[in-house]
Amino acid sequence: MSRRIRHARGPRPATAGIAVAGAALLAATLVPAAQADDRPSPAAALDNAAAALVDHATRLGLTPEQDTKVRDVVVDEDGTQHVRYDRTYREIPVLGGDFVVHLGPDGDYRGANRATSAPVSLPTVTPRLSAPEAADLAANTLRAANPGELLKKLTARPELVVDALHGAPKLAWRTDAAALDSVGNPVARTVLTDALTGDRIDAWDSVETAAGDGTSLYGGTVPLETTRSASSYQLKDPTRGGTYTGDAGNRTDLCLLTVCLVRAPSTVFTDADNHWGTGTAADRASAAVDAQYGTDVTWDYYEDVHGRSGIAGDGKGSYNRVHYGNGYNNAFWDDGCFCMTYGDGDGTTFGPLVSLDVAGHEMSHGVTSSTAALTYSGESGGLNEATSDIFGTLVEWHAGNSADAGDYLIGEKVVRDGFGRDALRYMDRPSRDGSSADCWSTSAGDLDVHYSSGIANHFAYLLAEGSGTKTVGGVNYDSPTCDGSTVAGIGRDKLGDIWYRALTVYMTSSTDYAGARTATLSAAEDLYGADSAEYAAVGAAWSAVNVG
């Protein structure tokens, strides 16, 4: 695989201000031409509930200054009725004023669930803070939530509300601020501001997410966080920095040296029911599922294990392009677009290159670029490639997906019979691919970086699992050392912690294999101490691949 393969959410108030016309439409659409059973119709439920509001107004906290608007009607099979309302006060929506009235099959009142039991009453409904002032405050809050971003098309729309969610009811501005970030992803925040004092009451992300799922090519059915857009869904994950996957339409980039004059598109995938793909290449969304899932799992690995938010550590998402070119046998990370690109493969040598370890590999190039920026040539280039193999492997293990279980094989899901072997690379004994180096020598820097990476891959396997023959996760491995020594492994988690700290704290653009030994020993000392078994294991594993 070449380098060219190379949110704190606040409470979400109930939506207030549902129009009476909308409620009428709901009721009309819910009333069937004829009842097929003896259950009350939704229209009858509305009538019963309206009578209950009159009879139980005091119990429900309703006063002459308040009004109600129907949001939803549910009639159970046994005839029990549930009518959900939003509330207004002097025609101002009340956040936290919603309630559900429960009625028996005969229409008798059985009780209610209220979002708040506090009396809704205010001495004034005249704000001291103006709407433009509230809009400015909300816009600044959105900017603060997206540091370093030059937001485009920023809008802020204030609405006067009564806030009954945060203690005693108060007059407030609810302002929805929205914009596009530098790569066109939507960012939005709802800000609740005291309309008398100007103090911020609360704020929360307000790009709607939806829990969907997708049937992938390689990982089975996987969960996906998507974005609701009108009556459909976008394959865009606001919970992971706005990461999204688009269709390149089998087009390619036009680049001269490092300048791309034309880029292949990335048309965001959409879906009507939030169930994506069929698990076959015939459905273009299937590869998109793999790509998006790979991005999700890679994001989660770095955040869960290393506390890193996003590839660059700034909370911003990248994006994916699938179906790049025609029969393109590669995948690559590009810092220029901060994006991942996947080819479909030619079907003989490779299938679509969207497997989990490929995704983790490629996006880890972005992590390296944002940290040590290891030069992509010589020994530092081999370390760059190995870093991606190491973290791509750890991402695969972290995912815990039985359909694509963790292993020390690189790209085993994407190879086809025409490739001639069952993986792109092997970490236990890299030379199994016919080209990679198991052991360091003075000529290591002259090798292609994908072959000199074998030295660090071999080190990583030995550090995690130890030398000799063994079965790990149902896969048989044989990892001899270069000096005939025996190495005891310390586990994948410690490997990941040591390599990540070395990469982000000690390695630089020119780090070579000797420097990598020093960097990882420094990392092990920081994490476990100079007298620790872990520190000793790092030294032993490097010596076992002739890096002394």
Side-chain angles (χ1 to χ4, degrees):
M1 195 185 317
S2 69
R3 194 179 189 193
R4 295 289 301 171
I5 285 188
R6 3 177 228 167
H7 116 119
R9 180 184 292 276
R12 193 178 189 83
T15 303
I18 303 239
V20 174
L25 174 63
L26 176 64
T29 57
L30 287 174
V31 177
Q35 285 295 109
D37 52 37
D38 295 331
R39 289 184 297 167
S41 69
L46 287 173
D47 289 341
N48 294 335
L53 296 192
V54 174
D55 295 341
H56 301 278
T58 302
R59 186 177 302 181
L60 295 170
L62 298 173
T63 67
E65 295 174 310
Q66 299 178 40
D67 199 358
T68 58
K69 297 178 181 179
V70 174
R71 190 198 300 180
D72 194 20
V73 179
V74 174
V75 179
D76 297 338
E77 288 188 6
D78 67 357
T80 304
Q81 304 144 53
H82 315 272
V83 182
R84 184 179 297 275
Y85 289 92
D86 289 304
R87 185 188 317 236
T88 60
Y89 176 81
R90 296 188 187 179
E91 300 183 350
I92 300 172
V94 180
L95 302 186
D98 54 299
F99 60 96
V100 185
V101 171
H102 308 290
L103 308 162
D106 55 1
D108 287 348
Y109 177 82
R110 288 187 171 180
N113 289 105
R114 297 168 59 183
T116 181
S117 58
V120 179
S121 180
L122 297 177
T124 180
V125 292
T126 302
R128 295 176 188 164
L129 184 76
S130 69
E133 290 172 323
D136 288 343
L137 291 172
N140 289 335
T141 299
L142 182 61
R143 294 187 185 99
N146 295 271
E149 280 283 2
L150 181 60
L151 301 181
K152 299 171 287 186
K153 298 183 179 180
L154 198 158
T155 60
R157 296 184 175 88
E159 177 189 24
L160 198 62
V161 298
V162 175
D163 171 34
L165 286 173
H166 302 83
K170 60 180 71 69
L171 193 66
W173 288 106
R174 171 180 167 152
T175 306
D176 294 322
L180 298 177
D181 66 15
S182 58
V183 295
N185 294 321
V187 293
R189 200 142 174 87
T190 295
V191 182
L192 201 59
T193 309
D194 192 309
L196 301 182
T197 67
D199 294 336
R200 190 172 76 183
I201 301 169
D202 200 358
W204 56 88
D205 293 332
S206 54
V207 174
E208 285 196 30
T209 65
D213 58 61
T215 306
S216 67
L217 296 175
Y218 303 123
T221 299
V222 297
L224 297 170
E225 288 289 338
T226 61
T227 300
R228 183 154 195 137
S229 177
S231 60
S232 66
Y233 301 87
Q234 295 179 325
L235 196 51
K236 183 179 295 187
D237 187 347
T239 71
R240 295 179 176 89
T243 311
Y244 70 92
T245 299
D247 194 334
N250 299 109
R251 295 169 59 185
T252 59
D253 298 333
L254 174 60
C255 300
L256 299 176
L257 298 177
T258 60
V259 178
C260 288
L261 306 177
V262 178
R263 286 200 180 275
S266 182
T267 306
V268 180
F269 280 86
T270 60
D271 188 83
D273 63 5
N274 214 14
H275 300 292
W276 307 74
T278 61
T280 67
D283 186 337
R284 294 179 75 85
S286 297
V289 170
D290 284 274
Q292 187 73 15
Y293 174 62
T295 303
D296 291 351
V297 172
T298 302
W299 179 290
D300 291 349
Y301 168 76
Y302 280 107
E303 186 167 62
D304 295 347
V305 177
H306 303 300
R308 185 180 189 85
S309 180
I311 300 305
D314 58 3
K316 299 176 185 176
S318 55
Y319 68 94
N320 305 307
R321 299 182 297 182
V322 296
H323 306 305
Y324 181 86
N326 288 291
Y328 183 63
N329 275 333
N330 227 319
F332 60 92
W333 168 267
D334 187 340
D335 283 328
C337 61
F338 204 69
C339 70
M340 264 298 307
T341 302
Y342 299 92
D344 289 325
D346 58 11
T348 301
T349 307
F350 297 114
L353 287 96
V354 290
S355 67
L356 192 51
D357 56 356
V358 173
H361 173 108
E362 301 306 343
M363 285 179 281
S364 292
H365 277 306
V367 175
T368 298
S369 177
S370 300
T371 55
L374 289 158
T375 302
Y376 204 65
S377 65
E379 291 191 14
S380 61
L383 287 167
N384 190 317
E385 270 299 308
T387 295
S388 283
D389 280 351
I390 291 165
F391 286 129
T393 295
L394 294 175
V395 164
E396 188 178 65
W397 282 100
H398 187 71
N401 185 332
S402 60
D404 187 5
D407 53 49
Y408 293 97
L409 311 175
I410 308 299
E412 74 282 358
K413 287 287 187 179
V414 306
V415 298
R416 298 295 182 263
D417 291 343
F419 187 64
R421 58 180 191 269
D422 60 355
L424 295 174
R425 290 191 287 280
Y426 307 86
M427 296 184 71
D428 63 324
R429 187 186 288 191
S431 59
R432 290 170 60 194
D433 67 10
S435 301
S436 291
D438 292 333
C439 313
W440 183 86
S441 69
T442 55
S443 61
D446 298 326
L447 297 175
D448 181 280
V449 296
H450 302 93
Y451 303 146
S452 61
S453 63
I455 302 161
N457 282 347
H458 192 191
F459 158 83
Y461 176 86
L462 290 170
L463 185 60
E465 302 294 346
S467 58
T469 58
K470 55 177 58 70
T471 300
V472 183
V475 180
N476 297 323
Y477 300 101
D478 180 11
S479 190
T481 60
C482 304
D483 62 356
S485 63
T486 299
V487 175
I490 60 174
R492 290 182 296 274
D493 292 345
K494 291 179 179 179
L495 160 66
D497 290 343
I498 291 169
W499 197 271
Y500 182 80
R501 182 161 179 82
L503 178 75
T504 58
V505 176
Y506 294 113
M507 291 186 185
T508 67
S509 59
S510 64
T511 296
D512 57 11
Y513 271 107
R517 177 186 173 107
T518 300
T520 50
L521 284 170
S522 295
E525 181 176 358
D526 292 347
L527 295 171
Y528 307 106
D531 297 326
S532 65
E534 291 82 2
Y535 183 92
V538 169
W542 278 123
S543 296
V545 296
N546 287 348
V547 178

